[in-house]
Amino acid sequence: MLVAVSLSFLAATILGGFFLVRQLGQHDGSGSLSAAVARHQAALETLAAVPDLPPRALARVGQLHPSLLGLVVTGPDGRVRQLYRAAAVSAPLPRAEDASVAELDYFAQPRRTGRPFLSGHSGPIVTLSVPVRDASGHFAGVVAGLLDSRRLPADGPVPAPLGEFLLAAGFLLLSAGAAAWWAGRRLAGPLCTPLAALARQIQHYNPAAPAASADEADGPVIEFAAVLAAFRQLTQRLVFDHLRSKDLVADLETQLSQSASRLANSESRYFQLLARTSTISYSTGPTGLLTSWNEVFEHLLGPVPPGVKIQHWLDRPSRHLLQRAAIRQMRSCTDVAEVEFAVTLPNGESRCLVQTSRLLLDARNGVMGFQVVAEDVTEQRRARRAQQEAEERYALAVRGSKNGIWDWDLRTGIVYYSPRWREMLGIPPGAPCETPEAWLSRVHPGDVRSLRADLNSFLRQDNIELFESEHRIQHGDGTWRWVMTCGAAVRGADGRALRIAGSASDITAGKLVDPLTGLPNRLAALERLEQLLGRQRDDPSRPFALLFLDLDRFKMVNDSLGHVKGDHLLLGVSRRLMAALDQVDGAVGFVGRLGGDEFVVVLDDAPGGRIAVAVAQAVQRQMQAPFSLDGSLLFASTSIGIAISDPTQTSAEDLLRNADTAMYHAKSGGRGRYRIFDSSMRATAIARLSLETDLRHALDDGEFELFYQAQVDLTTGRLSGFEALVRWQHPTRGLLPPGQFIHAAEENGLILPLGRWVLEQGCRQLAAWQSRLPACGDLSVSINLSALQFNDPKLATLVAAVLAETGLDPHRLHLEVTETMLAADPAVARSTLEELSAMGVALEVDDFGTGYSCLGQLHQLPFNTVKVDRTFIQAMDSQQSSQQEGRKIVESIVNLSGNLGISVIAEGIENEDHWAQLARLGCNIGQGYYFSRPVDSEAAFELAVCRLSQPWPVPASLSADPAALLQLERSLRESRLTRPSPPREAQAE
């Protein structure tokens, strides 16, 4: 029985050993590798989690594992960091720490594969190595354990995997039976009791207690499974107990080395920064002695002597100030303190410094010194003082200025208005006034649009340096004040205005006063008229009146006597107007000057226009006396237009226009008169304006036409030529004579192109008649020149061009000028006449005797003919004594002309008696309705064909007196022979 039990136990042991040997022979745990090796691997993996265990902990681990010959912990480069060797066992382990095992398989394989590796499993000594990874998962070395399979327990069951254990258990049950059960029962007591006790000892083992000697180890052989379980618990406890017990010395040395390196680099950069910065920097010891400083310090204060303090460069107040600040900082342990003081440079200059000192403390909070950074703020302080002084001056200027100051921040929209600005506009001091609308909303409606446009243009265009605007603004009492607003802008880098500031001055007094006479000007007159219109709207029973005055021929005074004397005349007129206003009882108002020679008298009350007429008459009386201008006397007259207010009128401009219209009618009716405006004048003014508008298009539309009036030789009745007279074929008003549009053409400047057209058309027509009828070659054409044409310096050039273009003989062209043209500027007139005469053009004086007499110059000017005005011819018909006077005037003109060798043309011959009387007086040529009215070109040509062959019959009174006729023909023949030729100088020209 005992043999059977022994054989069965031996068979189970052999079977369990078989499984153990097979498991140890497989490094991946899939063959016959025993569970003990697997548990060793688990224990090593636990050690790999915390590889930096103290050597004492490794030794305790080795004592608990008899099969463990040694432990090796390496770094990532294969060098041994920790080593445990069993004292009683000689094993192939590295000789000492820091040895390299990089070439051995148990290090190389885990490094390459990253998995545990079992080497040397064919012999009794095997090496099990586990890779170690750091916190980021990188390879950090291996933990290798050397196992001696021969020292594994030889008796007692060995745990195996569950499947193999069941297979072994079934085999034991089948082979041993009850003997195995009996043997197990007999052996359970002596084996399990010591194993359980040892397990409890290991479980409660304290690694900090001193290790027991080998002699103290008693008891039976420990079961490997229990030992392995206790070993795992022990290693886990060691790991968690020593997580914070690493080798801090090595870490501290590394950290200290790194900190020292960083400190050295930081100090290097710090000193380089101090050397390059423009800020003063220095360090002191606890007693204040300078220990270090930068180049800026030496550049400012000069060379630094040894053992000197910063107080060396300070005056007494600054020295005490700095000392007190240092004491306060040390007592309060303030980390950073700032102080401002003055320092004296070697050249004696005083500079202002602001320093920031940092307290340097040791580990025991003892003061080691100060680190100081200082900045030279002398220029900043000077700039600040200058700014304060400028602000004070600005505040004083604002308070002392008569102008209002405003400052508009365009970014915020807030405007500052000075107290003077508020005072000018009557705004109470406490009233809210900080927006642009406080200004713009008070501007007159007639000025606000232009003001905003000018302001926007100034803000958009950066090339405008100064903004200026004159406008009306409403005062707090409701009246309007004229202000001049000026401003300048502060612009950004893009040219956009950020701020605009300026001043506003009250210019009401100067704006409403004429600078020459001191009278109210046009603006003042318009404002007063607007006030009176508003009063009349409220009370229609209070009409007022306006007198518009214009000096007659004032331009002639300026041109002849000069503008200085013209201004003296205006001053005299202004005084007489005020005197005339004072002479009329009940006349309340003022005299104003609109500009130039235009004056107004505004009457506040004018019931029925009686007072207005009385004032106009008083003015006329005042103007009758001559004016004394620097010793010379000058007579002047004025034309006056009167306009009485009407409740239907809405603006002062309308009233002023009505008075101007009445003045124009007064001037056209004869100078020195007055007229009261009525609706018919308005209609006439509108018609005149319409006529001037139509006149601008008439020339382009070909609406003008030349008519021709015959000129007859009074001795023979033969046709001698035609006078060309312009007519306007108006599309709605019909055929208009020159008197209805020539004056308007002269005023708007259209007389120049119109005169050129008449000159061209008259020459071209006569040339055409000559080509059609050769007998017309002896005819001439007379063309009138206007004053503007005659004063044109290009007149001779124009005449020459027209003659060349039409091919007309210059002797057949007669140009008529008036005496007024000659009197305006005699020197220029003579030059123009001589230039025309040199070309062969005949020259005639039109309306001789009606204007300024040119008798004194007639013999000096190259005239060929004088033209007696029709008024003298009509006077010859009167049965009163004036008939003899008219005849004597004509006779004087004819005799004077005959003596000068100049022929005479008489206008206005309407009957045979006119012809006979003029012929007896010696008049050469005549024209009038008796011969022909002005006719168009075709009728004129037919008249020429007829009268060249059949002249007009000579009056019977002339033909009945042959002696008189012979005498007349003789005198005419002599006058033609003795007629002087143009001066040689003119011919040469």
Side-chain angles (χ1 to χ4, degrees):
M1 182 66 178
L2 183 58
V3 174
V5 174
S6 299
L7 291 176
S8 300
F9 183 78
L10 179 59
T13 302
I14 293 172
L15 183 60
F18 170 75
F19 288 134
L20 177 61
V21 171
R22 195 182 74 169
Q23 195 170 23
L24 289 173
Q26 301 295 329
H27 66 279
D28 57 356
S30 60
S32 59
L33 186 62
S34 65
V37 176
R39 287 179 172 81
H40 273 78
Q41 177 178 337
L44 294 178
E45 290 177 352
T46 304
L47 290 173
V50 185
D52 296 337
L53 290 175
R56 183 178 179 183
L58 293 178
R60 294 299 177 89
V61 174
Q63 291 178 4
L64 295 176
H65 293 269
S67 61
L68 190 63
L69 303 180
L71 283 173
V72 179
V73 181
T74 73
D77 56 353
R79 292 192 175 276
V80 177
R81 297 174 55 189
Q82 292 176 277
L83 177 64
Y84 164 72
R85 185 193 304 273
V89 179
S90 177
L93 292 172
R95 296 181 180 180
E97 293 185 6
D98 202 33
S100 177
V101 294
E103 302 298 331
L104 300 181
D105 291 340
Y106 70 80
F107 173 80
Q109 290 297 332
R111 180 180 183 182
R112 183 177 59 82
T113 62
R115 294 181 297 179
F117 179 72
L118 183 65
S119 64
H121 54 270
S122 59
I125 305 301
V126 295
T127 304
L128 179 61
S129 58
V130 176
V132 179
R133 299 186 180 278
D134 56 13
S136 59
H138 298 94
F139 178 76
V142 299
V143 176
L146 274 70
L147 304 178
D148 187 357
S149 61
R150 295 172 299 181
R151 300 190 63 181
L152 294 173
D155 47 359
V158 178
L162 181 59
E164 295 181 359
F165 176 77
L166 294 177
L167 181 60
F171 179 80
L172 289 176
L173 290 175
L174 293 176
S175 61
W181 174 82
W182 179 82
R185 184 181 176 86
R186 292 294 298 271
L187 294 175
L191 289 176
C192 292
T193 298
L195 287 174
L198 183 58
R200 286 195 298 272
Q201 294 176 7
I202 295 174
Q203 186 174 8
H204 298 285
Y205 176 71
N206 184 5
S213 62
D215 297 337
E216 296 177 358
D218 56 356
V221 179
I222 302 173
E223 182 183 4
F224 185 74
V227 173
L228 187 59
F231 171 71
R232 176 177 296 177
Q233 294 181 5
L234 176 62
T235 54
Q236 291 177 357
R237 184 181 303 168
L238 289 173
V239 168
F240 291 110
D241 289 343
H242 293 280
L243 282 175
R244 299 181 181 179
S245 303
K246 298 180 181 179
D247 193 358
L248 299 179
V249 176
D251 291 343
L252 288 175
E253 290 178 353
T254 302
Q255 294 175 6
L256 288 175
S257 176
Q258 294 176 353
S259 298
S261 177
R262 288 195 297 268
L263 179 60
N265 294 335
S266 178
E267 289 180 350
S268 176
R269 290 193 299 269
Y270 172 72
F271 285 113
Q272 291 179 5
L273 180 61
L274 288 182
R276 298 176 182 175
T277 186
S278 59
T279 304
I280 303 169
S281 177
Y282 64 91
S283 302
T284 68
T287 61
L289 294 177
L290 293 173
T291 57
S292 64
W293 53 87
N294 62 352
E295 295 180 358
V296 182
F297 186 94
E298 289 189 356
H299 179 73
L300 180 66
L301 301 178
V304 181
V308 73
K309 299 181 180 180
I310 186 64
Q311 287 81 355
H312 173 75
W313 291 274
L314 307 182
D315 56 12
R316 184 183 297 274
S318 297
R319 188 181 303 120
H320 292 167
L321 177 64
L322 201 60
Q323 288 174 352
R324 288 194 299 268
I327 292 173
R328 284 196 303 268
Q329 187 175 3
M330 288 189 295
R331 286 180 179 177
S332 61
C333 292
T334 305
D335 185 23
V336 178
E338 184 176 298
V339 64
E340 181 176 341
F341 58 93
V343 62
T344 304
L345 303 184
N347 58 4
E349 182 184 358
S350 179
R351 308 291 290 182
C352 182
L353 301 182
V354 175
Q355 75 170 25
T356 302
S357 59
R358 181 178 296 276
L359 193 62
L360 302 179
L361 304 176
D362 57 15
R364 298 180 180 180
N365 290 333
V367 177
M368 297 189 302
F370 294 89
Q371 178 62 48
V372 181
V373 176
E375 183 179 0
D376 187 354
V377 295
T378 305
E379 300 301 330
Q380 291 89 324
R381 294 296 182 267
R382 291 177 181 172
R384 183 182 301 174
R385 286 195 297 271
Q387 182 179 1
Q388 292 176 352
E389 294 175 358
E391 291 177 353
E392 292 175 357
R393 287 194 298 270
Y394 173 75
L396 291 175
V398 170
R399 290 197 299 268
S401 175
K402 295 183 179 180
N403 298 335
I405 307 299
W406 53 275
D407 189 346
W408 183 0
D409 190 341
L410 299 174
R411 294 165 294 188
T412 61
I414 298 177
V415 186
Y416 163 77
Y417 299 103
S418 68
R420 173 57 183 160
W421 191 91
R422 294 169 176 262
E423 180 184 351
M424 282 196 318
L425 301 183
I427 301 176
C433 182
E434 295 181 349
T435 62
E437 290 304 320
W439 166 29
L440 300 177
S441 62
R442 292 174 172 266
V443 178
H444 193 278
D447 301 336
V448 64
R449 179 176 297 179
S450 61
L451 174 62
R452 290 182 180 271
D454 294 342
L455 187 59
N456 292 332
S457 176
F458 171 74
L459 295 177
R460 287 194 301 266
Q461 302 178 16
D462 56 359
N463 57 344
I464 304 178
E465 297 183 358
L466 187 65
F467 166 74
E468 292 183 347
S469 174
E470 292 184 5
H471 53 273
R472 288 165 290 179
I473 193 166
Q474 191 174 29
H475 192 268
D477 58 5
T479 60
W480 294 99
R481 304 291 179 88
W482 278 94
V483 296
M484 166 64 79
T485 301
C486 302
V490 177
R491 302 182 184 273
D494 56 352
R496 181 182 179 184
L498 305 177
R499 178 181 173 189
I500 178 173
S503 64
S505 56
D506 190 342
I507 60 172
T508 304
K511 192 69 176 178
L512 302 180
V513 176
D514 177 55
L516 175 63
T517 62
L519 299 175
N521 60 6
R522 183 184 184 90
L523 291 175
L526 290 176
E527 287 190 4
R528 183 57 181 163
L529 291 176
E530 290 288 353
Q531 294 174 1
L532 293 176
L533 284 173
R535 187 194 69 178
Q536 190 177 33
R537 283 192 290 268
D538 298 334
D539 185 6
S541 63
R542 296 188 62 183
F544 61 96
L546 173 66
L547 280 69
F548 192 103
L549 302 90
D550 182 84
L551 294 182
D552 299 328
R553 295 179 178 177
F554 178 73
K555 184 178 182 302
M556 183 179 297
V557 176
N558 271 341
D559 294 342
S560 59
L561 302 180
H563 290 276
V564 175
K565 290 189 177 182
D567 292 343
H568 291 171
L569 176 62
L570 294 176
L571 289 172
V573 171
S574 65
R575 288 191 291 267
R576 294 193 182 187
L577 292 179
M578 290 187 289
L581 184 63
D582 295 337
Q583 291 176 358
V584 179
D585 295 335
V588 178
F590 70 88
V591 178
R593 179 184 177 222
L594 300 184
D597 60 335
E598 296 178 345
F599 293 84
V600 292
V601 178
V602 179
L603 300 176
D604 292 352
D605 292 285
R610 177 183 57 81
I611 296 179
V613 172
V615 172
Q617 293 173 350
V619 170
Q620 298 290 2
R621 290 193 299 269
Q622 286 287 335
M623 298 297 291
Q624 289 176 359
F627 292 88
S628 177
L629 302 178
D630 295 337
S632 60
L633 298 180
L634 177 66
F635 288 89
S637 62
T638 178
S639 300
I640 305 173
I642 303 175
I644 309 299
S645 65
D646 186 344
T648 61
Q649 292 172 341
T650 58
S651 68
E653 291 289 349
D654 293 341
L655 189 65
L656 191 64
R657 182 196 60 211
N658 294 341
D660 187 15
T661 302
M663 186 276 298
Y664 177 81
H665 279 266
K667 189 179 289 290
S668 62
R671 295 176 176 86
R673 304 187 182 191
Y674 65 87
R675 290 287 185 273
I676 299 177
F677 176 82
D678 56 28
S679 57
S680 62
M681 292 182 181
R682 178 64 176 163
T684 302
I686 294 175
R688 179 169 172 264
L689 179 62
S690 176
L691 181 68
E692 292 180 356
T693 303
D694 296 341
L695 190 62
R696 295 183 178 275
H697 304 283
L699 191 61
D700 295 335
D701 296 341
E703 297 177 0
F704 291 105
E705 184 178 356
L706 280 186
F707 277 51
Y708 301 90
Q709 188 174 24
Q711 293 179 338
V712 181
D713 189 336
L714 297 181
T715 60
T716 62
R718 293 179 59 84
L719 179 66
S720 64
F722 292 95
E723 181 181 5
L725 302 172
V726 65
R727 298 291 186 269
W728 181 10
Q729 188 65 46
H730 194 276
T732 59
R733 300 173 61 179
L735 190 65
L736 301 180
Q740 296 186 17
F741 62 87
I742 288 296
H743 182 66
E746 289 178 345
E747 287 185 350
N748 57 26
L750 293 176
I751 193 64
L752 291 177
L754 178 59
R756 180 188 178 95
W757 179 85
V758 171
L759 180 63
E760 293 178 349
Q761 187 67 19
C763 294
R764 183 175 291 106
Q765 187 64 69
L766 183 58
W769 288 342
Q770 291 176 357
S771 62
R772 294 173 60 184
L773 182 65
C776 293
D778 295 333
L779 299 180
S780 64
V781 59
S782 298
I783 296 177
N784 293 276
L785 293 179
S786 68
L788 291 178
Q789 282 181 288
F790 187 72
N791 294 326
D792 186 3
K794 299 180 180 179
L795 175 61
T797 304
L798 172 64
V799 173
V802 171
L803 292 175
E805 180 181 355
T806 59
L808 184 67
D809 184 1
H811 295 87
R812 299 304 170 187
L813 174 62
H814 293 192
L815 296 179
E816 299 183 9
V817 298
T818 63
E819 291 179 285
T820 305
M821 301 180 192
L822 303 177
D825 194 340
V828 175
R830 180 175 180 177
S831 175
T832 303
L833 293 174
E834 290 178 351
E835 191 173 2
L836 293 173
S837 179
M839 297 168 53
V841 176
L843 301 176
E844 299 178 0
V845 182
D846 193 13
D847 299 335
F848 187 80
T850 59
Y852 294 94
S853 178
C854 62
L855 294 177
Q857 302 177 7
L858 187 60
H859 68 285
Q860 299 177 354
L861 299 176
F863 283 108
N864 305 91
T865 307
V866 294
K867 206 169 192 180
V868 181
D869 187 70
R870 68 179 63 249
T871 57
F872 301 117
I873 307 302
Q874 301 299 325
M876 296 171 64
D877 289 339
S878 176
Q879 300 300 324
Q880 301 176 359
S881 60
S882 58
Q883 176 184 9
Q884 299 298 326
E885 294 177 357
R887 179 181 176 86
K888 291 179 181 179
I889 292 175
V890 175
E891 184 177 3
S892 299
I893 295 174
V894 172
N895 293 334
L896 175 64
S897 301
N899 294 331
L900 296 177
I902 300 175
S903 61
V904 179
I905 298 179
E907 291 183 310
I909 299 177
E910 297 182 358
N911 51 53
E912 184 176 319
D913 185 57
H914 289 165
W915 182 358
Q917 291 186 59
L918 291 171
R920 290 191 184 96
L921 291 176
C923 186
N924 309 95
I925 307 297
Q927 71 180 78
Y929 288 172
Y930 178 78
F931 301 109
S932 172
R933 290 178 175 272
V935 295
D936 58 18
S937 59
E938 288 299 326
F941 180 71
E942 293 177 359
L943 180 64
V945 172
C946 175
R947 292 304 179 181
L948 286 175
S949 58
Q950 297 179 2
W952 281 273
V954 178
S957 60
L958 291 179
S959 59
D961 188 1
L965 185 59
L966 292 175
Q967 180 64 28
L968 177 61
E969 291 179 351
R970 187 181 303 109
S971 62
L972 292 177
R973 190 181 305 109
E974 291 176 354
S975 65
R976 291 191 183 97
L977 293 176
T978 58
R979 178 178 176 180
S981 60
R984 295 183 179 180
E985 294 82 3
Q987 294 178 359
E989 293 179 0

